[in-house]
Amino acid sequence: MTTYVYDFHQGNKDLKDLLGGKGANLAEMTNMGLPVPAGFTITTAACREYLAHGKEPDALRDEVGEHLHTLEQAMGRRLGQTDDPLLVSVRSGAKFSMPGMMDTVLNIGLSDASVPGLARQSGSPRFAWDSYRRLLAMFGRTVLGVDGELFDDAVDAAKKARGAGNDLDLDEADLRGLAEMFKTIIRDRTGRDFPQGPREQLDLAIRAVFDSWNGERARLYRRQERIPADLGTAVNVVAMVFGNLGMDSGTGVAFTRDPGNGDQGVYGDYLQNAQGEDVVAGIRNTLPLTALASIDPPAYDRLLSIMATLEQHYRDLCDIEFTIERNKLWMLQTRIGKRTAGAAFRIAVQLVDEGMITMDEALTRVTGAQLAQLMFPRFAAGGRADRIAQGMNASPGAAVGQAVFDSGRAVELAAAGIPVILIRRETNPDDLDGMIAAQGVLTSRGGKTSHAAVVARGMGKTCVCGAEEIDVDAHRRQAVAPGGVVVHEGDVISIDGSSGAVYLGEVPVVPSPVVEYFEGNLVADGSDPLVDAVHRIMTHADGAARLAVRANADTTEDAERARRFGAVGIGLCRTEHMFLGERRKLVERLILADGDEEADAALAALLPLQRGDFVAIFTAMDGLPVTVRLLDPPLHEFLPDLTELSVRVGVATATGEPVADGDAALLVAVRRLHEQNPMLGLRGVRLGLLIPGLVALQVRAIAEAAAICRGRGGDPRLEIMVPLVGAVQELEVVREQAEQVLEEVAVETGVDVQALIGTMIEVPRAALTAGQIAGAAQFFSFGTNDLTQMSWGFSRDDVESSFFSRYLDLGIFGVSPFESLDRDGVGRLVQLAVDEGRAARPEIKLGVCGEHGGDPDSVHFFHRLGLDYVSCSPFRLPVARLEAGRAAVLDR
Ligand code: PEP
Ligand code: MG
């Protein structure tokens, strides 16, 4: 038979699933011999039954009765006993802490009949009436659903009538009056009287806590925190101890270390003559906990000694709630305390130094998400500026600058030393220079995997994207925010990439010392405890990791930064930017070529440029592998915009002006290459198979660059990667061409240029036929961006801003599958390809180069699949390194 109720003596801290966090820790403290009021916990299983069937399990009533009886015997009083009532609190407590999301009712058991008994026993009629009015208000609001403001308003009115500054000035008569008034409010609003039977109060309160699991606030919180909706909450029934018995009583919260920055010491707040909810409600100003040292020295000493005991026992920062009843200290709750990212790193190494935990454990006490938070510059606290719009938090950080509306202007102003924010409706590869020049990027369209977001994250640049409430007008060089607020070019704005907020005016920014450390500008020499802690933990993570971490980099600067940030190679060097800017004309000539001769001339002009790019990158990554990906994007991206060109030609024709040189031919080509679904069109390997000489050009540039580097005494390590392969035959054709060029270059240069040739696995068919493809591939690199796009049929450039927020609201997924790998779907494809690829070619190298390579959750999944490496943008490298180390330790 299932047991639904556990006495505090029967539980322990490891039973959080069943007893919730609060119940498990109350049990633990009870068994440690700490002063915990007696009580019992109703399990989450009871709550789940209740939620499933709409009524409590049959056995629950009797079980609660038995445990209540035990409690009454221990306390020597019965619940609500008229002459000396035992009162209890009923508190929710789920497995994961959900602060303030669910309900608590104090003073259960009190009634008209027992208030005089409580007054007599406590020697304080004021206290008895204070306790009763608190019960009536809490019960009315929480259990009976009465609007809580009605009670608050009545208290305010009573204070006003008495000219009282705070609730301590209300006397017995006032409180008695309030209690009567509250009973009337309850009767008027619910059509029934406040239940006077103690057991009925208890049962209704328990049910209300069960119901609060599905309250609106709780549901929202769970979705945000990704807490499963089906866990249910436990309910703790605890004998009341009173902090509101006079100035020798009180209630407080304490932390064993500073949860803000990790400093060792005594932190917390204390409120005299008060019950717990007064601290949270902020109705009176609290005192710093250290004040208790002079208010009640013995209680303070006892508290400090218990805090030390708890820290030793839990081996972590503990967060505590306590009450002092007439100089006697009672522990009401403890748990592992929440802390800021900086405090997490510092506390982890402090605990190692104090001998409480090992370095392995320290590594599990921090997360990549926390490290990421430490890496972005942020707005200093207390800055004042007007928030004018809200977008998506695409790339964290804080950026301030003058608004500019095109890339050229951004570059111009930045060159003159003026910080700018580039504002665009959406960005495209042409905006790259402007994005590099800008402090941050703001777009009104596109989601977290839009061009702006992906590129900005890659650069570590602050970005707010998809701020749809802003109307961007690049022609008039202005943006209009809600309420008609106009941002003109040159106006200073501030954007917060961590929250998505957009401000008019300047909010002060402070740089991150952690980034300065990774950049090599700061060393861990004891001068900054946070930098020291990060250094020690990162060093340990690198030692523990099995998964290598490479970078996605296609410029020398990125490659150099990647090395500084700890990359052991480049996992994805996209070559498309090498065809843009000045060089785009050459690509245009190649596409429009009328015959081999013209095409060859264009290719010949591109060759030295490409070779130069690769020499620079191989030099920056000397001795480490560089995976160069052959050209991927659809050709039309290298041609002028169809609409613009059509208008130009159309206007010229209509006005009888001569059509500009080449425009007519260009228009034909642009029309011919125009695609309805470019992402599913002529891109990737398909380009290489269609445009003669393209593969040969790129491979030759790679091979010649390697020969040059070798000639200079360097050690280039090449991997040539073919994108968008869906069938082994595609790869075979390209591979044959590539091998031929490699041989030619070897003969011409006298340098034996070696390169691995492999493929991306980013089309579902490639994953499904990985066994065949492995026959022609020396490595696989999972392109999880495209693999996600094509598995779900989601256009990666469109869906995040169009309907993902709705999907998240509906709980269809808890997080965007472009952000964190969808293990059940896309993950299965990866698993299949890993298994079949390895079966066909045991020595095959396996990596990931989609955005997921830098996502903590996904890194753990890739570790478990046994991949060789993940590759991510340079700024995400530290996070990936940390998570690779954590994955290995957690796996042990
Ligand atoms: C991918 O699809 O995951 C990938 C890395 O390629 P791209 O993002 O360039 O399409
Ligand atoms: Mg791709």
Side-chain angles (χ1 to χ4, degrees):
M1 214 184 75
T2 320
T3 304
Y4 290 113
V5 184
Y6 286 68
D7 187 85
F8 287 167
H9 289 287
Q10 296 170 313
N12 66 60
K13 72 175 170 24
D14 300 321
L15 293 179
K16 291 196 180 68
D17 282 337
L18 194 64
L19 304 179
K22 187 178 293 176
N25 287 323
L26 281 169
E28 187 78 10
M29 287 198 292
T30 301
N31 293 327
M32 286 169 73
L34 299 183
V36 176
F40 54 86
T41 303
I42 300 165
T43 65
T44 55
C47 176
R48 286 193 296 272
E49 286 245 345
Y50 170 82
L51 294 173
H53 304 295
K55 68 179 197 45
E56 291 83 354
D58 292 336
L60 186 62
R61 200 185 147 76
D62 286 347
E63 274 193 60
V64 168
E66 281 161 30
H67 284 265
L68 182 60
H69 185 66
T70 312
L71 179 63
E72 288 172 335
Q73 289 200 312
M75 306 298 290
R77 290 172 284 163
R78 280 187 316 344
L79 183 70
Q81 180 179 313
T82 319
D83 59 346
D84 184 8
L86 167 66
L87 306 185
V88 296
S89 66
V90 173
R91 299 164 186 268
S92 61
K95 176 179 179 185
F96 301 104
S97 133
M98 296 169 57
M101 292 302 131
M102 288 180 304
D103 294 326
T104 292
V105 186
L106 305 182
N107 304 338
I108 291 277
L110 203 51
S111 62
D112 291 353
S114 57
V115 172
L118 184 63
R120 231 179 357 264
Q121 286 297 332
S122 63
S124 169
R126 183 193 181 280
F127 157 75
W129 286 106
D130 188 38
S131 299
Y132 196 31
R133 64 100 187 179
R134 287 170 188 271
L135 168 65
L136 289 163
M138 266 189 264
F139 197 95
R141 193 185 66 230
T142 303
V143 183
L144 303 175
V146 177
D147 179 359
E149 277 192 25
L150 295 170
F151 303 114
D152 296 341
D153 290 348
V155 175
D156 286 344
K159 281 199 269 188
K160 208 161 169 195
R162 169 152 295 273
N166 76 47
D167 55 338
L168 290 187
D169 299 330
L170 298 176
D171 66 13
E172 180 202 334
D174 298 325
L175 294 166
R176 181 199 288 255
L178 278 176
E180 290 307 326
M181 207 180 300
F182 287 2
K183 280 192 281 181
T184 310
I185 291 173
I186 289 173
R187 191 179 317 113
D188 288 351
R189 296 287 150 164
T190 66
R192 58 169 290 185
D193 282 318
F194 170 73
Q196 294 289 328
R199 179 64 203 258
E200 187 186 3
Q201 290 175 11
L202 178 62
D203 289 338
L204 288 173
I206 292 169
R207 179 179 292 181
V209 172
F210 285 162
D211 283 330
S212 70
W213 176 256
N214 277 334
E216 203 172 323
R217 271 178 309 161
R219 289 216 309 261
L220 194 70
Y221 184 86
R222 283 200 295 273
R223 258 203 314 268
Q224 267 167 10
E225 300 293 313
R226 297 168 69 183
I227 297 173
D230 56 2
L231 297 178
T233 180
V235 184
N236 301 290
V237 177
V238 193
M240 282 298 303
V241 288
F242 298 98
N244 56 334
L245 268 168
M247 296 311 269
D248 57 358
S249 305
T251 187
V253 293
F255 297 91
T256 55
R257 301 179 192 232
D258 186 338
N261 62 17
D263 281 346
Q264 277 147 301
V266 180
Y267 298 87
D269 300 304
Y270 185 67
L271 196 56
Q272 276 176 283
N273 197 6
Q275 275 196 334
E277 83 266 18
D278 300 338
V279 179
V280 186
I283 55 167
R284 272 185 277 141
N285 287 337
T286 55
L287 299 170
L289 185 59
T290 42
L292 185 60
S294 43
I295 296 171
D296 189 342
Y300 184 71
D301 290 345
R302 177 92 172 103
L303 178 65
L304 291 201
S305 120
I306 289 176
M307 282 162 69
T309 305
L310 284 172
E311 237 199 25
Q312 282 291 335
H313 186 77
Y314 282 90
R315 302 179 310 129
D316 205 346
L317 158 71
C318 293
D319 145 350
I320 291 157
E321 287 177 21
F322 65 92
T323 279
I324 295 176
E325 181 183 286
R326 295 201 165 139
N327 306 109
K328 161 111 177 86
L329 175 68
W330 292 97
M331 304 303 292
L332 299 189
Q333 172 170 336
T334 193
R335 63 185 167 202
I336 303 298
K338 294 204 164 131
R339 66 207 75 183
T340 63
F345 276 82
R346 286 192 54 201
I347 291 172
V349 297
Q350 284 166 12
L351 295 176
V352 172
D353 293 342
E354 290 165 32
M356 281 193 243
I357 63 174
T358 62
M359 270 312 281
D360 269 4
E361 283 175 296
L363 194 49
T364 66
R365 299 283 179 89
V366 296
T367 65
Q370 286 168 332
L371 181 60
Q373 275 178 33
L374 293 177
M375 287 184 62
F376 292 98
R378 43 198 113 121
F379 286 129
R384 289 225 56 85
D386 292 329
R387 203 180 82 166
I388 54 168
Q390 179 69 34
M392 271 182 255
N393 50 343
S395 178
V400 182
Q402 291 190 9
V404 292
F405 294 87
D406 68 81
S407 190
R409 186 79 180 135
V411 172
E412 199 181 308
L413 289 182
I418 299 171
V420 297
I421 303 288
L422 179 64
I423 307 181
R424 302 284 291 158
R425 196 161 288 165
E426 54 201 331
T427 60
N428 61 47
D430 276 344
D431 291 312
L432 212 59
D433 290 344
M435 294 179 73
I436 292 167
Q439 303 296 308
V441 181
L442 168 63
T443 67
S444 61
R445 287 206 45 195
K448 284 191 187 171
T449 48
S450 63
H451 179 268
V454 172
V455 175
R457 270 201 299 279
M459 295 179 187
K461 188 137 302 196
T462 302
C463 176
V464 171
C465 69
E468 309 225 351
E469 348 174 83
I470 299 183
D471 188 12
V472 178
D473 188 339
H475 289 290
R476 297 173 64 185
R477 293 167 181 271
Q478 67 173 38
V480 183
V485 178
V486 182
V487 179
H488 301 280
E489 183 172 288
D491 291 348
V492 172
I493 65 165
S494 304
I495 59 173
D496 187 339
S498 312
S499 71
V502 181
Y503 302 90
L504 186 60
E506 176 174 349
V507 186
V509 173
V510 286
S512 153
V514 173
V515 169
E516 295 289 282
Y517 155 72
F518 285 123
E519 287 284 12
N521 301 332
L522 262 185
V523 282
D525 60 1
S527 55
D528 181 335
L530 176 60
V531 168
D532 291 345
V534 169
H535 172 72
R536 285 173 64 185
I537 290 179
M538 289 307 294
T539 308
H540 191 74
D542 289 341
R546 188 194 53 68
L547 200 59
V549 181
R550 296 195 192 181
N552 293 357
D554 48 31
T555 63
T556 326
E557 300 81 72
D558 273 357
E560 283 166 353
R561 167 164 295 126
R563 272 200 109 126
R564 291 197 298 276
F565 279 29
V568 294
I570 289 181
L572 173 63
C573 172
R574 293 181 167 102
T575 53
E576 33 272 17
H577 93 272
M578 300 170 183
F579 288 78
L580 290 172
E582 296 286 290
R583 305 176 187 182
R584 192 157 94 170
K585 280 280 168 216
L586 293 172
V587 182
E588 207 174 283
R589 257 170 64 195
L590 177 66
I591 299 168
L592 299 177
D594 195 8
D596 290 352
E597 221 169 283
E598 251 184 78
D600 287 349
L603 288 169
L606 280 166
L607 178 64
L609 301 171
Q610 275 267 274
R611 193 170 52 216
D613 295 329
F614 293 132
V615 168
I617 288 179
F618 294 158
T619 306
M621 272 288 152
D622 192 51
L624 296 175
V626 176
T627 309
V628 179
R629 182 179 72 183
L630 303 183
L631 196 62
D632 182 32
L635 276 189
H636 74 86
E637 284 196 13
F638 301 99
L639 293 176
D641 180 71
L642 175 61
T643 318
E644 261 175 44
L645 190 61
S646 307
V647 170
R648 207 157 72 213
V649 173
V651 169
T653 313
T655 56
E657 307 242 335
V659 175
D661 232 14
D663 271 6
L666 202 53
L667 182 57
V668 173
V670 173
R671 283 221 178 97
R672 177 164 50 81
L673 293 170
H674 182 75
E675 294 174 317
Q676 295 299 339
N677 295 301
M679 274 292 180
L680 301 177
L682 180 55
R683 58 176 284 225
V685 66
R686 304 161 198 172
L687 282 176
L689 297 177
L690 217 84
I691 300 186
L694 186 59
V695 169
L697 158 77
Q698 290 204 283
V699 176
R700 178 167 282 278
I702 295 166
E704 289 182 358
I708 291 171
C709 291
R710 283 272 283 281
R712 294 176 183 168
D715 179 18
R717 310 252 174 116
L718 320 187
E719 296 176 355
I720 296 173
M721 178 156 78
V722 186
L724 222 75
V725 163
V728 67
Q729 292 84 352
E730 292 172 309
L731 181 60
E732 282 167 350
V733 176
V734 173
R735 181 171 174 175
E736 206 172 297
Q737 288 181 28
E739 280 172 343
Q740 197 186 328
V741 176
L742 288 172
E743 256 176 55
E744 283 167 21
V745 174
V747 171
E748 287 159 22
T749 60
V751 179
D752 178 23
V753 181
Q754 296 289 332
L756 293 185
I757 299 181
T759 180
M760 298 197 61
I761 301 288
E762 54 181 343
V763 174
R765 191 179 189 283
L768 295 168
T769 59
Q772 294 171 16
I773 293 178
Q778 290 172 293
F779 64 87
F780 285 171
S781 178
F782 291 94
T784 48
N785 303 334
D786 271 307
L787 201 55
T788 300
Q789 156 164 279
M790 297 192 204
S791 298
W792 281 87
F794 284 159
S795 161
R796 55 199 263 202
D797 294 326
D798 301 307
V799 289
E800 289 200 88
S801 61
S802 66
F803 61 82
F804 266 28
S805 57
R806 182 75 186 130
Y807 266 43
L808 291 165
D809 281 350
L810 291 171
I812 292 170
F813 32 64
V815 58
S816 159
F818 286 111
E819 215 172 302
S820 197
L821 194 85
D822 151 38
R823 298 182 181 200
D824 298 343
V826 181
R828 278 194 75 194
L829 285 172
V830 176
Q831 168 90 65
L832 184 93
V834 166
D835 293 346
E836 299 197 352
R838 280 233 168 95
R841 186 191 285 263
E843 78 284 5
I844 195 166
K845 228 199 243 190
L846 300 171
V848 169
C849 65
E851 282 287 300
H852 304 88
D855 167 65
D857 218 45
S858 313
V859 168
H860 287 247
F861 180 68
F862 298 136
H863 168 89
R864 243 165 284 144
L865 287 188
L867 298 194
D868 298 304
Y869 68 88
V870 292
S871 187
C872 61
S873 28
F875 271 96
R876 301 181 86 186
L877 280 163
V879 169
R881 282 166 52 200
L882 181 71
E883 291 294 354
R886 294 186 66 234
V889 166
L890 291 168
D891 214 20
R892 275 177 200 156

